[in-house]
């Protein structure tokens, strides 16, 4: 039952992580020429990075709380090992939740 309550914040954390990746990609070589030539685009990408990172941390904390884990610990781990810990954590969560769903059927 706890996994069902945590599905929505985990999905939102995934979407915010994807938004962060897209905003960071604006500063990588194929796109950086266009991004660095436009001040509004630089500002938009920078604000997008900051907002999506903060929202991601909020949703990680919400999902940890709904799963009965320490939200502070999970947010600190996410900050220290970002983005690798977030990606691995989201993949493992989905894998274990699929196994738990199959076991209950």
């Amino acid at each position: 039952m706890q996994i069902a309550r945590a599905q929505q914040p985990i999905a939102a954390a995934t979407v915010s992580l994807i938004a962060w990746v897209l905003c960071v990609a604006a500063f990588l070589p194929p796109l950086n020429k266009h991004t660095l030539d436009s001040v509004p685009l630089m500002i938009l990408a920078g604000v997008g990075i900051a907002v999506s990172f903060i929202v991601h941390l909020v949703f990680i904390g919400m999902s940890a709380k709904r799963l009965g884990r320490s939200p502070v610990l999970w947010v600190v781990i996410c900050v220290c090992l970002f983005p690798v810990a977030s990606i691995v954590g989201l993949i493992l969560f989905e894998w274990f939740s699929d196994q738990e769903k199959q076991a209950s059927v």
Side-chain angles (χ1 to χ4, degrees):
M1 186 64 178
Q2 288 180 338
I3 289 178
R5 290 183 59 223
Q7 286 291 339
Q8 190 173 5
I10 289 294
T14 304
V15 170
S16 65
L17 186 63
I18 291 169
W20 182 85
V21 167
L22 292 175
C23 290
V24 168
F27 292 103
L28 296 178
L31 300 173
N32 70 346
K33 182 178 185 289
H34 301 292
T35 304
L36 298 177
D37 288 342
S38 171
V39 173
L41 191 55
M42 278 193 297
I43 293 171
L44 183 65
V47 168
I49 289 170
V51 169
S52 62
F53 179 70
I54 292 168
V55 169
H56 180 73
L57 294 178
V58 168
F59 285 125
I60 290 294
M62 284 175 56
S63 61
K65 186 173 182 176
R66 289 184 181 184
L67 289 171
R69 294 185 169 51
S70 171
V72 174
L73 175 66
W74 283 95
V75 169
V76 168
I77 290 171
C78 187
V79 168
C80 291
L81 301 173
F82 189 78
V84 176
S86 293
I87 294 168
V88 170
L90 291 171
I91 290 170
L92 287 175
F93 175 78
E94 287 299 322
W95 186 57
F96 285 123
S97 66
D98 286 342
Q99 283 185 345
E100 203 167 295
K101 284 178 188 176
Q102 289 175 359
S104 66
V105 172

